[in-house]
Amino acid sequence: MHNTLYYTVLKYMPNIIRMESINVGLAVHYPKEKYSHFFKMTNINKIKAFDDEYNPDFFNMVMDSLSYELDYKPNTSSNINSDESRFLDITESCFLEKRTNYLANEFRFDKIQRLHTSINDYKNDIKQLIYIP
């Protein structure tokens, strides 16, 4: 099995005509460890400043939906998505693409990127991706 970490950035584009966007999340997938997670932006004030018509209910609904679709950690008691049948494709390299390609309009994922890593380093690599300015 390969040592590739897949990731993609979620952009929020409230006005498609202006084509301005802000990064609001990061989806990561490491097939070797059956790991997938969606990290959402926690600085709501930054989003409110970016979009004067920000709707917190709609925004939170989309974020919760993405967490439901992407958050998977095997064999942990804290795993709220314990339905194994929803994640039968977790070891496939196309997992992240299949789970993120349906969004359009205000929310869009960037092209999926790849990072060579190892079992010992992938968690640290994810932390570094989260904190990219």
Side-chain angles (χ1 to χ4, degrees):
M1 197 175 287
H2 48 82
N3 282 317
T4 303
L5 173 70
Y6 299 90
Y7 67 95
T8 179
V9 174
L10 177 66
K11 296 189 176 295
Y12 175 55
M13 187 182 310
N15 186 323
I16 295 173
I17 295 170
R18 288 197 321 250
M19 296 297 290
E20 297 172 335
S21 64
I22 183 173
N23 296 345
V24 295
L26 174 74
V28 296
H29 173 228
Y30 187 51
K32 187 165 189 156
E33 285 294 298
K34 298 181 179 179
Y35 177 84
S36 177
H37 193 77
F38 176 69
F39 298 92
K40 62 183 175 182
M41 176 188 245
T42 57
N43 187 347
I44 300 303
N45 290 331
K46 189 172 182 179
I47 299 167
K48 288 179 184 178
F50 181 75
D51 179 12
D52 58 354
E53 296 179 16
Y54 168 75
N55 179 334
D57 294 331
F58 173 71
F59 192 88
N60 289 331
M61 179 192 67
V62 172
M63 296 295 112
D64 290 346
S65 172
L66 290 169
S67 291
Y68 179 78
E69 284 297 317
L70 294 167
D71 291 356
Y72 181 75
K73 295 177 191 173
N75 303 324
T76 62
S77 59
S78 63
N79 183 11
I80 58 172
N81 297 322
S82 59
D83 184 3
E84 298 285 330
S85 64
R86 288 191 311 108
F87 291 94
L88 292 175
D89 57 346
I90 190 73
T91 59
E92 296 178 17
S93 60
C94 60
F95 170 85
L96 198 56
E97 182 178 357
K98 289 193 298 187
R99 303 267 173 144
T100 60
N101 68 358
Y102 64 91
L103 290 180
N105 300 327
E106 293 96 348
F107 294 93
R108 298 179 185 183
F109 278 101
D110 278 347
K111 180 181 174 191
I112 294 173
Q113 302 295 315
R114 298 174 182 176
L115 179 67
H116 185 72
T117 191
S118 69
I119 290 176
N120 296 327
D121 296 332
Y122 84 96
K123 290 180 183 178
N124 189 48
D125 290 337
I126 291 169
K127 285 179 186 176
Q128 290 183 8
L129 287 171
I130 294 168
Y131 297 112
I132 292 176

